[in-house]
Amino acid sequence: MSNVLTARDLEEIIAKGGDPNAAAKDAVLTPSARDTLRDYANAQRKAVRAGSGENAAPTAPTGPLNSKSPKAELEAFFNSPYAHSLKEQICEMGHRLWKRAYVDGNGGNMAIRVGDDIAICTPTLVSKGSLKPSDMCLVDFEGNQLLGTKKRTSEILMHLQMMKRQPKAVATCHCHPPYATAFAVANIAPPTCMLPEYEVFCSVGVAPYRTPGSPDMGKLVAELTDQYNTILMANHGVVTWSHNNIEEAYWRMEIIEAYCRTIVVAGQLGKPINTFSGPQMKELLNIKQSLGFVDPRFGMKECELCDSDEWRPGASCAIPPKPEATVGYDEEAEKTVQAITDQILSQMK
Ligand SMILES: [Zn+2]
């Protein structure tokens, strides 16, 4: 038996932050209620178009969903203006990845957590340059596809394992940007302490090679998400995560790629590369911490941050030796310094 909903009923639901579409699904609507529903959809679409940031996106229409939610609720969510705005964001990031040549063929994939154990993700075998919102899939955290007409990406397990391991991860982005991937092929994290943007936004770890899409690959990457938000996958590419939104996960790609490219060029200039001092680096890490990003270097001493060519865990401080330890050793030098000082003083008189 279906109930009748008026415009006023729907307005009340909207005012309370509920989803009028979900309420209207099995109800009989009055003509004015139908107008209210249409106005709501238009307003939501306008909000999405008005800005690109997360603030402009419509809010989630229902409470937290999960893989056990009724199919009708999942469908209502998946077809809601809110879900549509997330799909559009993924498409926009896909287009940027393709234009910047960070992906090749059908490479690269992205996911956004949208409930306790569900995520919207990109499909397999579609170029990121031609992604459409209607291509997107809804999956549970085991990788089972719940909704969407195209088949989900074959690398989804890695994204889901990252989200399972790192509860803060709401969005993940994977691609193959050439300079950063070159470091991944060489199996080295880029040296640190050179550019502020990179130090604030990226914390870079390296995961060993495993077959793309295999549970083992996902496990090795996921283990690094406690301390790193940007992971070089050896002989493969890069994957990033964000606790804010998919655009920030994408930004990390631009930042690590620009950084890797810059240090490759800087290395060819024939001049020694300057790095930050410990206190300078500490200041950047303070900013990073205030932004809620992860980094294994929080809490380390200033002298541990940039004294080695390449930051490594447990690097010891290069504190200058104490004067007492060198007194006997430098007796001759002391005498010479004293003689020169006396000479200067006598000349000044
Ligand atoms: Zn890949």
Side-chain angles (χ1 to χ4, degrees):
M1 202 165 39
S2 48
N3 59 330
V4 179
L5 286 179
T6 64
R8 176 175 266 176
D9 295 332
L10 292 179
E11 278 157 12
E12 260 177 38
I13 291 168
I14 294 166
K16 284 177 188 155
D19 178 16
N21 291 302
K25 205 157 175 21
D26 299 314
V28 174
L29 301 178
T30 63
S32 62
R34 248 179 246 128
D35 289 345
T36 306
L37 215 51
R38 199 174 45 236
D39 291 349
Y40 175 76
N42 287 338
Q44 297 272 293
R45 250 176 250 129
K46 220 182 264 172
V48 176
R49 263 184 254 122
S52 55
E54 54 169 345
N55 295 336
T59 48
T62 48
L65 292 170
N66 60 52
S67 58
K68 302 282 180 290
S69 297
K71 179 124 197 227
E73 264 181 46
L74 290 173
E75 266 172 5
F77 166 77
F78 196 59
N79 298 316
S80 69
Y82 173 70
H84 188 76
S85 77
L86 298 181
K87 294 174 190 174
E88 282 185 327
Q89 286 172 33
I90 294 178
C91 293
E92 165 70 19
M93 296 314 123
H95 300 165
R96 290 195 211 169
L97 288 172
W98 188 83
K99 283 182 194 155
R100 281 190 166 261
Y102 291 178
V103 284
D104 31 79
N106 64 311
N109 27 74
M110 285 168 277
I112 300 178
R113 185 200 294 262
V114 290
D116 296 338
D117 62 347
I118 50 173
I120 291 179
C121 71
T122 48
T124 189
L125 295 173
V126 175
S127 163
K128 300 299 126 0
S130 55
L131 271 186
K132 296 188 299 294
S134 58
D135 294 333
M136 298 303 148
C137 314
L138 187 74
V139 292
D140 68 20
F141 269 19
E142 301 313 310
N144 302 308
Q145 185 152 351
L146 303 173
L147 290 169
T149 49
K150 293 228 159 88
K151 192 178 180 313
R152 96 263 190 293
T153 166
S154 61
E155 288 187 272
I156 190 61
L157 281 183
M158 175 179 71
H159 297 260
L160 300 170
Q161 281 169 282
M162 291 169 75
M163 288 177 184
K164 277 200 252 184
R165 169 79 180 219
Q166 174 51 270
K168 282 166 70 184
V170 298
T172 48
C173 178
H174 163 60
C175 64
H176 315 136
Y179 284 85
T181 303
F183 278 86
V185 169
N187 202 27
I188 46 168
T192 56
C193 295
M194 291 188 222
L195 290 173
E197 193 89 3
Y198 176 77
E199 295 301 350
V200 170
F201 276 91
C202 298
S203 310
V204 181
V206 185
Y209 178 81
R210 291 292 186 278
T211 305
S214 66
D216 208 18
M217 178 78 261
K219 182 176 170 284
L220 290 166
V221 167
E223 280 167 2
L224 293 171
T225 57
D226 299 347
Q227 296 191 307
Y228 305 99
N229 57 27
T230 306
I231 295 148
L232 294 182
M233 302 157 70
N235 298 87
H236 182 166
V238 189
V239 62
T240 59
W241 66 269
S242 162
H243 72 281
N244 288 314
N245 51 49
I246 189 67
E247 185 169 25
E248 188 181 86
Y250 165 78
W251 283 348
R252 297 211 155 93
M253 290 299 176
E254 286 193 356
I255 293 165
I256 189 173
E257 179 65 355
Y259 184 76
C260 289
R261 194 173 171 182
T262 303
I263 56 179
V264 165
V265 175
Q268 295 168 354
L269 297 177
K271 295 275 178 196
I273 292 173
N274 295 319
T275 56
F276 298 133
S277 66
Q280 287 171 334
M281 188 62 203
K282 188 84 185 164
E283 265 187 47
L284 293 174
L285 288 175
N286 288 343
I287 297 170
K288 185 175 210 166
Q289 202 159 15
S290 73
L291 292 169
F293 302 154
V294 294
D295 196 298
R297 295 168 293 181
F298 294 151
M300 285 177 79
K301 297 191 201 94
E302 285 178 354
C303 62
E304 291 173 308
L305 298 173
C306 296
D307 279 359
S308 51
D309 289 345
E310 197 179 343
W311 174 76
R312 54 205 152 82
S316 59
C317 290
I319 299 167
K322 288 189 178 120
E324 305 93 85
T326 58
V327 165
Y329 203 70
D330 280 334
E331 213 169 331
E332 282 303 310
E334 288 282 326
K335 275 184 193 161
T336 314
V337 170
Q338 193 57 51
I340 294 169
T341 311
D342 293 346
Q343 214 176 340
I344 292 169
L345 284 172
S346 67
Q347 275 174 13
M348 282 171 76
K349 279 171 198 161

mmCIF file with all atom_site columns, all heavy atoms in Angstrom, residues 107-109 155 174-176 212 233 236-237, ligand 1:
data_model
loop_
_atom_site.group_PDB
_atom_site.id
_atom_site.type_symbol
_atom_site.label_atom_id
_atom_site.label_alt_id
_atom_site.label_comp_id
_atom_site.label_asym_id
_atom_site.label_entity_id
_atom_site.label_seq_id
_atom_site.pdbx_PDB_ins_code
_atom_site.Cartn_x
_atom_site.Cartn_y
_atom_site.Cartn_z
_atom_site.occupancy
_atom_site.B_iso_or_equiv
_atom_site.pdbx_formal_charge
_atom_site.auth_seq_id
_atom_site.auth_comp_id
_atom_site.auth_asym_id
_atom_site.auth_atom_id
_atom_site.pdbx_PDB_model_num
ATOM   1  N  N   . GLY A 1 107 ? 44.594 2.603  -18.921 1.00 0.00 ? 107 GLY A N   1
ATOM   2  C  CA  . GLY A 1 107 ? 45.232 2.609  -17.593 1.00 0.00 ? 107 GLY A CA  1
ATOM   3  C  C   . GLY A 1 107 ? 44.644 3.640  -16.650 1.00 0.00 ? 107 GLY A C   1
ATOM   4  O  O   . GLY A 1 107 ? 43.979 4.583  -17.062 1.00 0.00 ? 107 GLY A O   1
ATOM   5  N  N   . GLY A 1 108 ? 44.927 3.451  -15.367 1.00 0.00 ? 108 GLY A N   1
ATOM   6  C  CA  . GLY A 1 108 ? 44.498 4.379  -14.326 1.00 0.00 ? 108 GLY A CA  1
ATOM   7  C  C   . GLY A 1 108 ? 43.118 4.024  -13.813 1.00 0.00 ? 108 GLY A C   1
ATOM   8  O  O   . GLY A 1 108 ? 42.286 3.504  -14.557 1.00 0.00 ? 108 GLY A O   1
ATOM   9  N  N   . ASN A 1 109 ? 42.888 4.259  -12.529 1.00 0.00 ? 109 ASN A N   1
ATOM   10 C  CA  . ASN A 1 109 ? 41.569 4.012  -11.945 1.00 0.00 ? 109 ASN A CA  1
ATOM   11 C  C   . ASN A 1 109 ? 41.416 4.807  -10.659 1.00 0.00 ? 109 ASN A C   1
ATOM   12 O  O   . ASN A 1 109 ? 42.400 5.221  -10.059 1.00 0.00 ? 109 ASN A O   1
ATOM   13 C  CB  . ASN A 1 109 ? 41.326 2.507  -11.707 1.00 0.00 ? 109 ASN A CB  1
ATOM   14 C  CG  . ASN A 1 109 ? 42.609 1.740  -11.492 1.00 0.00 ? 109 ASN A CG  1
ATOM   15 O  OD1 . ASN A 1 109 ? 43.229 1.834  -10.432 1.00 0.00 ? 109 ASN A OD1 1
ATOM   16 N  ND2 . ASN A 1 109 ? 43.051 1.023  -12.503 1.00 0.00 ? 109 ASN A ND2 1
ATOM   17 N  N   . GLU A 1 155 ? 41.610 -3.325 -11.053 1.00 0.00 ? 155 GLU A N   1
ATOM   18 C  CA  . GLU A 1 155 ? 42.528 -2.978 -9.958  1.00 0.00 ? 155 GLU A CA  1
ATOM   19 C  C   . GLU A 1 155 ? 41.778 -2.490 -8.717  1.00 0.00 ? 155 GLU A C   1
ATOM   20 O  O   . GLU A 1 155 ? 42.389 -1.916 -7.812  1.00 0.00 ? 155 GLU A O   1
ATOM   21 C  CB  . GLU A 1 155 ? 43.532 -1.919 -10.427 1.00 0.00 ? 155 GLU A CB  1
ATOM   22 C  CG  . GLU A 1 155 ? 44.560 -2.489 -11.399 1.00 0.00 ? 155 GLU A CG  1
ATOM   23 C  CD  . GLU A 1 155 ? 45.666 -1.504 -11.740 1.00 0.00 ? 155 GLU A CD  1
ATOM   24 O  OE1 . GLU A 1 155 ? 45.501 -0.715 -12.680 1.00 0.00 ? 155 GLU A OE1 1
ATOM   25 O  OE2 . GLU A 1 155 ? 46.694 -1.533 -11.068 1.00 0.00 ? 155 GLU A OE2 1
ATOM   26 N  N   . HIS A 1 174 ? 44.817 6.158  -8.951  1.00 0.00 ? 174 HIS A N   1
ATOM   27 C  CA  . HIS A 1 174 ? 45.990 5.406  -9.429  1.00 0.00 ? 174 HIS A CA  1
ATOM   28 C  C   . HIS A 1 174 ? 46.249 5.713  -10.900 1.00 0.00 ? 174 HIS A C   1
ATOM   29 O  O   . HIS A 1 174 ? 45.319 5.752  -11.699 1.00 0.00 ? 174 HIS A O   1
ATOM   30 C  CB  . HIS A 1 174 ? 45.758 3.909  -9.239  1.00 0.00 ? 174 HIS A CB  1
ATOM   31 C  CG  . HIS A 1 174 ? 46.690 3.066  -10.054 1.00 0.00 ? 174 HIS A CG  1
ATOM   32 N  ND1 . HIS A 1 174 ? 48.063 3.127  -9.907  1.00 0.00 ? 174 HIS A ND1 1
ATOM   33 C  CD2 . HIS A 1 174 ? 46.467 2.164  -11.047 1.00 0.00 ? 174 HIS A CD2 1
ATOM   34 C  CE1 . HIS A 1 174 ? 48.635 2.294  -10.769 1.00 0.00 ? 174 HIS A CE1 1
ATOM   35 N  NE2 . HIS A 1 174 ? 47.687 1.704  -11.480 1.00 0.00 ? 174 HIS A NE2 1
ATOM   36 N  N   . CYS A 1 175 ? 47.501 5.956  -11.247 1.00 0.00 ? 175 CYS A N   1
ATOM   37 C  CA  . CYS A 1 175 ? 47.851 6.192  -12.648 1.00 0.00 ? 175 CYS A CA  1
ATOM   38 C  C   . CYS A 1 175 ? 49.350 5.939  -12.845 1.00 0.00 ? 175 CYS A C   1
ATOM   39 O  O   . CYS A 1 175 ? 50.030 5.466  -11.937 1.00 0.00 ? 175 CYS A O   1
ATOM   40 C  CB  . CYS A 1 175 ? 47.464 7.599  -13.079 1.00 0.00 ? 175 CYS A CB  1
ATOM   41 S  SG  . CYS A 1 175 ? 48.357 8.891  -12.208 1.00 0.00 ? 175 CYS A SG  1
ATOM   42 N  N   . HIS A 1 176 ? 49.844 6.246  -14.039 1.00 0.00 ? 176 HIS A N   1
ATOM   43 C  CA  . HIS A 1 176 ? 51.233 5.931  -14.390 1.00 0.00 ? 176 HIS A CA  1
ATOM   44 C  C   . HIS A 1 176 ? 51.957 7.173  -14.905 1.00 0.00 ? 176 HIS A C   1
ATOM   45 O  O   . HIS A 1 176 ? 52.385 7.209  -16.060 1.00 0.00 ? 176 HIS A O   1
ATOM   46 C  CB  . HIS A 1 176 ? 51.265 4.839  -15.470 1.00 0.00 ? 176 HIS A CB  1
ATOM   47 C  CG  . HIS A 1 176 ? 50.336 3.686  -15.209 1.00 0.00 ? 176 HIS A CG  1
ATOM   48 N  ND1 . HIS A 1 176 ? 49.548 3.118  -16.171 1.00 0.00 ? 176 HIS A ND1 1
ATOM   49 C  CD2 . HIS A 1 176 ? 50.070 2.996  -14.061 1.00 0.00 ? 176 HIS A CD2 1
ATOM   50 C  CE1 . HIS A 1 176 ? 48.839 2.120  -15.651 1.00 0.00 ? 176 HIS A CE1 1
ATOM   51 N  NE2 . HIS A 1 176 ? 49.128 2.035  -14.375 1.00 0.00 ? 176 HIS A NE2 1
ATOM   52 N  N   . PRO A 1 212 ? 49.436 -6.503 -11.014 1.00 0.00 ? 212 PRO A N   1
ATOM   53 C  CA  . PRO A 1 212 ? 48.360 -5.529 -10.805 1.00 0.00 ? 212 PRO A CA  1
ATOM   54 C  C   . PRO A 1 212 ? 47.013 -6.223 -10.612 1.00 0.00 ? 212 PRO A C   1
ATOM   55 O  O   . PRO A 1 212 ? 46.685 -7.161 -11.331 1.00 0.00 ? 212 PRO A O   1
ATOM   56 C  CB  . PRO A 1 212 ? 48.362 -4.716 -12.110 1.00 0.00 ? 212 PRO A CB  1
ATOM   57 C  CG  . PRO A 1 212 ? 49.754 -4.836 -12.626 1.00 0.00 ? 212 PRO A CG  1
ATOM   58 C  CD  . PRO A 1 212 ? 50.230 -6.201 -12.219 1.00 0.00 ? 212 PRO A CD  1
ATOM   59 N  N   . MET A 1 233 ? 54.413 2.261  -6.737  1.00 0.00 ? 233 MET A N   1
ATOM   60 C  CA  . MET A 1 233 ? 54.281 0.816  -6.890  1.00 0.00 ? 233 MET A CA  1
ATOM   61 C  C   . MET A 1 233 ? 55.378 0.379  -7.846  1.00 0.00 ? 233 MET A C   1
ATOM   62 O  O   . MET A 1 233 ? 55.367 0.743  -9.027  1.00 0.00 ? 233 MET A O   1
ATOM   63 C  CB  . MET A 1 233 ? 52.901 0.477  -7.458  1.00 0.00 ? 233 MET A CB  1
ATOM   64 C  CG  . MET A 1 233 ? 51.763 1.007  -6.585  1.00 0.00 ? 233 MET A CG  1
ATOM   65 S  SD  . MET A 1 233 ? 50.255 1.214  -7.527  1.00 0.00 ? 233 MET A SD  1
ATOM   66 C  CE  . MET A 1 233 ? 49.838 -0.514 -7.831  1.00 0.00 ? 233 MET A CE  1
ATOM   67 N  N   . HIS A 1 236 ? 55.459 -0.228 -11.836 1.00 0.00 ? 236 HIS A N   1
ATOM   68 C  CA  . HIS A 1 236 ? 54.042 -0.109 -12.197 1.00 0.00 ? 236 HIS A CA  1
ATOM   69 C  C   . HIS A 1 236 ? 53.587 1.350  -12.278 1.00 0.00 ? 236 HIS A C   1
ATOM   70 O  O   . HIS A 1 236 ? 53.368 1.867  -13.365 1.00 0.00 ? 236 HIS A O   1
ATOM   71 C  CB  . HIS A 1 236 ? 53.213 -0.919 -11.197 1.00 0.00 ? 236 HIS A CB  1
ATOM   72 C  CG  . HIS A 1 236 ? 51.748 -0.920 -11.495 1.00 0.00 ? 236 HIS A CG  1
ATOM   73 N  ND1 . HIS A 1 236 ? 50.868 -1.791 -10.902 1.00 0.00 ? 236 HIS A ND1 1
ATOM   74 C  CD2 . HIS A 1 236 ? 50.985 -0.159 -12.322 1.00 0.00 ? 236 HIS A CD2 1
ATOM   75 C  CE1 . HIS A 1 236 ? 49.652 -1.574 -11.356 1.00 0.00 ? 236 HIS A CE1 1
ATOM   76 N  NE2 . HIS A 1 236 ? 49.696 -0.580 -12.215 1.00 0.00 ? 236 HIS A NE2 1
ATOM   77 N  N   . GLY A 1 237 ? 53.470 2.042  -11.168 1.00 0.00 ? 237 GLY A N   1
ATOM   78 C  CA  . GLY A 1 237 ? 52.938 3.412  -11.204 1.00 0.00 ? 237 GLY A CA  1
ATOM   79 C  C   . GLY A 1 237 ? 52.812 3.993  -9.814  1.00 0.00 ? 237 GLY A C   1
ATOM   80 O  O   . GLY A 1 237 ? 53.595 3.666  -8.920  1.00 0.00 ? 237 GLY A O   1
HETATM 81 ZN ZN  . ZN  B 2 .   ? 48.027 0.409  -13.043 1.00 0.00 ? 1   ZN  B ZN  1
#
